[in-house]
């Protein structure tokens, strides 16, 4: 019976050792996956930043065109404001006219 207990205990220690190895392997694998994911995320962010910088330099060349368009729109708005002022003044002048009733 003493021999039987020793054999059972030896089997339990092997099983416990395998469980410990499996847990350590699982923790290691999880850490490796997290590390790879963060590395990939960092590379993606750097790629996006360099792409954005490249697009900004491309848009700088068309900023002159946009500024020209904005200046044209600004001139049109100023002309529209002047036309509105002229219309308001004409309306005020017509309201100030004195009408004399003729019987």
């Amino acid at each position: 019976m003493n021999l039987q207990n020793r054999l059972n205990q030896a089997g339990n220690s092997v099983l416990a050792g395998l469980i410990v190895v499996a847990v350590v392997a699982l923790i290691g694998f999880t850490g490796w996956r997290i590390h790879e994911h963060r590395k990939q995320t960092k590379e993606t962010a750097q790629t996006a930043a360099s792409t954005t910088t490249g697009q900004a330099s491309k848009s700088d060349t068309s900023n002159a065109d946009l500024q020209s368009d904005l200046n044209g729109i600004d001139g049109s708005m100023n002309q529209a404001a002047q036309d509105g002022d002229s219309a308001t003044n004409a309306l005020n002048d017509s309201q100030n006219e004195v009408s004399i009733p003729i019987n």
Side-chain angles (χ1 to χ4, degrees):
M1 192 148 113
N2 195 3
L3 179 63
Q4 186 69 20
N5 283 340
R6 286 186 186 171
L7 290 177
N8 285 339
Q9 289 176 356
N12 288 338
S13 64
V14 170
L15 183 61
L18 288 175
I19 290 174
V20 168
V21 169
V23 168
V24 169
L26 183 65
I27 291 171
F29 179 74
T30 303
W32 175 75
R33 291 288 295 164
I34 290 171
H35 172 72
E36 289 296 314
H37 178 71
R38 287 184 180 178
K39 182 178 163 185
Q40 182 181 11
T41 303
K42 184 178 177 182
E43 289 172 356
T44 304
Q46 288 174 345
T47 303
S50 66
T51 303
T52 303
T53 304
Q55 289 174 352
S57 65
K58 289 179 185 175
S59 66
D60 288 343
T61 59
S62 64
N63 279 347
D65 295 335
L66 292 174
Q67 188 62 42
S68 174
D69 291 344
L70 286 174
N71 289 339
I73 291 170
D74 189 40
S76 298
M77 290 179 67
N78 288 337
Q79 183 63 43
Q82 289 174 356
D83 291 347
D85 290 343
S86 296
T88 302
N89 289 337
L91 183 60
N92 287 338
D93 286 344
S94 69
Q95 288 176 351
N96 291 334
E97 292 178 3
V98 176
S99 25
I100 301 172
I102 301 177
N103 288 336

